[in-house]
Amino acid sequence: AKLAPGRPSAYSTTDSPTPLRHVTSYNNYYEFGTDKEDPARTAHALRVRPWTLVIEGLVKQPKTLGIEDILKLAPLEERIYRLRCVEGWSMVIPWLGFPVASLLKLVEPLGSAKYVEFITAVQPETMPGVRSRVLDWPYVEGLRMDEAMHPLAIIAVGLYGDVLPNQNGAPLRLVVPWKYGFKSGKSIVRIRLTDTEPRTSWMKSAPREYGFYSNVNPEVDHPRWSQATERRIGEFAKRKTLMFNGYTEQVGQLYTGMDLRKQF
Amino acid sequence: MNPALIKPPLFLACLAPLAYYAWGAQADTLGANPIEAVTRGLGTWALNFLLITLTVTPLRKYSGWAWLGRLRRMLGLFVFFYAALHLSTYLWFDQFFDWPAIAKDILKRPFITVGMVSFALLVPLAATSNAFAIRKLGGRRWQELHRSVYLIGILTVLHYAWMVKADISKPLLYAVMLGVLLGLRVWWRVQERNRQLAGAYLPKPRGRIIPIAVKKQASSDGSA
């Protein structure tokens, strides 16, 4: 189903987008299997209607929203973003969505809210992957409040002008382009504002390898592989990975004074 | 069964994985990240052939098909063949022959380190896979050298396990298969040891014992 055309955005990159067939056939969505070809094969079963999103925690107005209301919440924008996976590959994806901030403003965060926790769907009957204990389900991700409120952080509901395919995280998916891809939780059902740093699924799985911030950083290697370069899907030669995935100008100031080696 | 009959078709079958990846790369049927698919595929096949090679001896032993042993060298050389191709894809498509970066990678990344050690250990085995080397080394030393294939198997599975992000089910499956194949060898060794201790290899007395020693004993007794 087509969505209303998104308004072009100044935040879009001019890099040429990765072909749709690659964007929808090469996915990390462990609930649907750990091979990257698995989600495209199995995610069709995901029930995306009805879908409700709960926003709760340190907010003045906790809310439960139906997907239809969320789609009317804010005008959709097209955001063509680079996506850098922690595994060393990257894509360019034309997302359709709206800023996370417009969702959070709705519930009026309290001054004490410091972090935002994103909790994703668990449908054991449609998700073959959750039977195995590869990760601690539900998949949980998190951002600091100022990161979540940053205009680059969006909730995507579509890509390439269409409704978001299930394997890409339908119907609501976080997109944080300056962080490794796994920070962008898929099929979100609950957003919780907290005063303590959320323990994410990957931090629980391998705390030495995955930190809370997980900003794209060519100078801080994954303990088991280098992050200096990446292979853009569809390209033969490797590219140099850019600091904050090339979004330093926009997000660099969020991390002034932090030791990014320690807070990786 | 005549190994001369089975060797040519087996040789071609062993080339099938390479043909699959070569054709797939050319026809663009290897998915969004064909370079990764080729690199991993060739590595997986090196490990597959390692396990197949290690299966020859038990299969020969339990089936009684002695001719199976004559296929082992060729299968073993295919381990080296696929491992060398796998390494080449890493050096070329992954590192683009950036030797300082490669050296850093080998020293810093445990999964690369064990992969490299594993390949380095394969080289002498491939180099001595010929009748000349067996003659030159002598059967016993040749066999001792080639026992390093057990260590190579362990390192290769480790290389695989340390590469994956969270789901170690596939490396684990390989570990179990390798464990069975190596476990069999340990079991045979224990059995062999027990047989030797039980005197299985002492020369068997033939015919009737002529009781000279007994007589001598008796006579010396008598003189006392």
Side-chain angles (χ1 to χ4, degrees), chain A residues 22-209:
Chain A
H22 292 338
V23 173
T24 57
S25 67
Y26 193 73
N27 309 99
N28 277 322
Y29 194 162
Y30 279 13
E31 287 86 337
F32 291 102
T34 53
D35 283 346
K36 277 191 268 299
E37 293 74 23
D38 287 340
R41 219 180 49 242
T42 58
H44 60 87
L46 178 74
R47 274 180 286 101
V48 293
R49 293 289 186 282
W51 195 274
T52 49
L53 173 69
V54 176
I55 314 178
E56 59 179 15
L58 301 173
V59 299
K60 222 176 268 170
Q61 304 275 348
K63 272 191 164 45
T64 300
L65 301 162
I67 184 73
E68 289 75 16
D69 300 324
I70 295 168
L71 288 171
K72 281 180 250 157
L73 203 77
L76 295 185
E77 292 178 47
E78 183 178 63
R79 299 278 185 103
I80 307 171
Y81 281 165
R82 288 178 289 273
L83 172 95
R84 168 61 155 82
C85 177
V86 74
E87 296 164 352
W89 53 269
S90 63
M91 292 184 180
V92 177
I93 304 175
W95 301 105
L96 275 172
F98 52 85
V100 177
S102 51
L103 201 57
L104 294 183
K105 277 174 195 153
L106 210 65
V107 293
E108 299 176 53
L110 297 175
S112 53
K114 295 280 176 286
Y115 296 93
V116 189
E117 192 175 8
F118 296 87
I119 298 148
T120 69
V122 180
Q123 294 180 3
E125 64 287 7
T126 70
M127 295 173 157
V130 301
R131 266 166 261 159
S132 72
R133 310 256 88 215
V134 185
L135 289 173
D136 192 23
W137 315 114
Y139 188 86
V140 169
E141 259 309 335
L143 296 172
R144 216 169 53 191
M145 197 64 191
D146 56 343
E147 295 176 322
M149 295 301 281
H150 192 280
L152 271 182
I154 59 165
I155 296 286
V157 297
L159 58 82
Y160 267 103
D162 242 322
V163 171
L164 203 59
N166 290 356
Q167 62 267 39
N168 295 88
L172 299 169
R173 176 216 167 118
L174 182 65
V175 179
V176 195
W178 69 95
K179 292 175 180 282
Y180 291 118
F182 67 86
K183 291 296 290 180
S184 299
K186 299 180 176 83
S187 311
I188 293 165
V189 292
R190 192 176 288 270
I191 296 176
R192 191 181 290 146
L193 282 74
T194 66
D195 53 3
T196 50
E197 191 182 272
R199 281 257 288 156
T200 72
S201 292
W202 279 107
M203 287 167 79
K204 283 188 225 168
S205 158
R208 220 174 58 82
E209 302 189 356

